[in-house]
Amino acid sequence: YFFFFLISAYVGPSTWVTKFPMAAGSRQSPVNIETKRVESDHEALSSKPLRWKYPATASRKLVNPGYCWRVDTDGEGTFLSGGPLMDDVYKLEQYHCHWGCSDSRGSEHTVDGQAFAGELHLVHWNTSKYKTFAEAAKASDGLAVLGVFLKLRGSRYLMRGSQLRNSIRANDTLLADTTLRYKNGRDEPRRAGRTRGASFLRARFVHIVRLCNSFEICPGCIKKHDNGYWTYLGSLTTPPCNESVTWILFKKYIEVSHHQLNIFRNLRKFPRGEECPCHENHGVCSLWKSSEWYSRSGP
Ligand code: SG4
Ligand code: ZN
């Protein structure tokens, strides 16, 4: 494999195991990447480079399941292949994001013990071997998730609490547009208890797509810079925690601002009337530990 590494297993939220036996497995994600213990495989890198294609038209629907934003695709024209996936062709099923309450955490994977502000996940399934996403999700080589860290703009490597406020740039178009739309548009939820609905989400969709474009989800850029990636065999990071995921984590991150992260945090958590923002949704967050949460909507 390309960059192959051994990592110490991350111990997920403890209550998951009782409800989802797979969470007790031996290849659970996320993990902490110990860069000193990573093994590189340059031969594999040159013989089977990772390749991908994501036409913008494949993104069909923005969904708020109550704990993240997610874009469902029709998979048309998309593929991810090569690298640890060898010759199998994986199609993009959906992409979604994880973030935290504060800028100092939010990523699911960590690098040498340090968290990023967020993590974008592009979820693919193996169309060479399986007929449906559901079938692939049960197989050990069924899924491939490409992860891209979201790093707070202006922070050196990681973010350290309050000093970050100074690093917000004025030409943050994402913030400007959103604020405008929210304040002056019809999308603003004026009545107390009203949920931010589809139009609110649609407004955000533009920004999410822009965010993805800024890292070039129809890539090229990552290949050129050739920063490589880390890969390991792991699982879904949320219940049912299927151990079916080949993880590919780009070393190259996307920069985001404090305000962009706040937009994510302000997504509504519940479907009707309950004013509870989706503050954080990364692997270790209490959201997932609450059994009440499962009964509401499930992961
Ligand atoms: C997020 O909760 C997504 O919304 C889920 O997507 C996803 O589950 C889950 O994360 C786990 O995926 O890349 N973080 S992860 O390991 O992709 C699946 C849906 O629920 C099965 C559709
Ligand atoms: Zn995810």
Side-chain angles (χ1 to χ4, degrees), residues 50-55 58-59 71-82 85-95 121-134 136-137 141-146 217 244-246 248:
L50 190 70
R51 295 183 309 121
W52 60 84
K53 193 176 173 193
Y54 304 119
S59 296
V71 176
D72 291 338
T73 79
D74 58 15
E76 285 293 307
T78 69
F79 75 79
L80 178 68
S81 195
L85 310 175
M86 310 298 275
D87 292 323
D88 286 357
V89 174
Y90 289 66
K91 280 199 173 191
L92 183 64
E93 172 79 4
Q94 48 104 335
Y95 47 100
H121 286 161
L122 286 76
V123 182
H124 309 72
W125 61 283
N126 188 334
T127 55
S128 298
K129 288 198 179 151
Y130 306 103
K131 290 206 179 65
T132 62
F133 177 85
D141 60 352
L143 305 182
V145 183
L146 201 156
I217 243 187
S244 56
V245 180
T246 301
I248 296 167

Side-chain angles (χ1 to χ4, degrees), residues 6-45:
L6 295 162
I7 17 87
S8 56
Y10 171 90
V11 182
S14 54
T15 58
W16 287 1
V17 177
T18 53
K19 285 172 195 274
F20 304 95
M22 272 180 279
S26 56
R27 49 176 273 197
Q28 282 295 297
S29 297
V31 296
N32 174 40
I33 298 157
E34 294 178 50
T35 54
K36 286 218 176 87
R37 294 176 64 192
V38 171
E39 292 169 21
S40 61
D41 188 339
H42 293 287
E43 209 175 293
L45 161 64

Side-chain angles (χ1 to χ4, degrees), residues 182-250:
Y182 182 67
K183 282 196 175 145
N184 304 326
R186 283 173 299 163
D187 296 323
E188 186 171 6
R190 291 183 188 280
R191 279 173 286 141
R194 203 187 131 191
T195 317
R196 292 174 191 182
S199 53
F200 177 86
L201 273 173
R202 224 174 294 125
R204 264 84 194 141
F205 191 30
V206 177
H207 307 304
I208 289 160
V209 168
R210 260 190 228 158
L211 173 71
C212 295
N213 284 347
S214 70
F215 119 86
E216 291 181 21
I217 243 187
C218 322
C221 89
I222 289 167
K223 217 182 260 178
K224 269 179 242 146
H225 291 268
D226 210 7
N227 281 354
Y229 53 85
W230 294 294
T231 180
Y232 75 99
L233 298 176
S235 75
L236 294 174
T237 62
T238 64
C241 306
N242 298 21
E243 299 193 324
S244 56
V245 180
T246 301
W247 277 96
I248 296 167
L249 295 163
F250 279 138

Side-chain angles (χ1 to χ4, degrees), residues 96 98 108 121 237:
H96 62 265
H98 301 266
E108 298 213 291
H121 286 161
T237 62

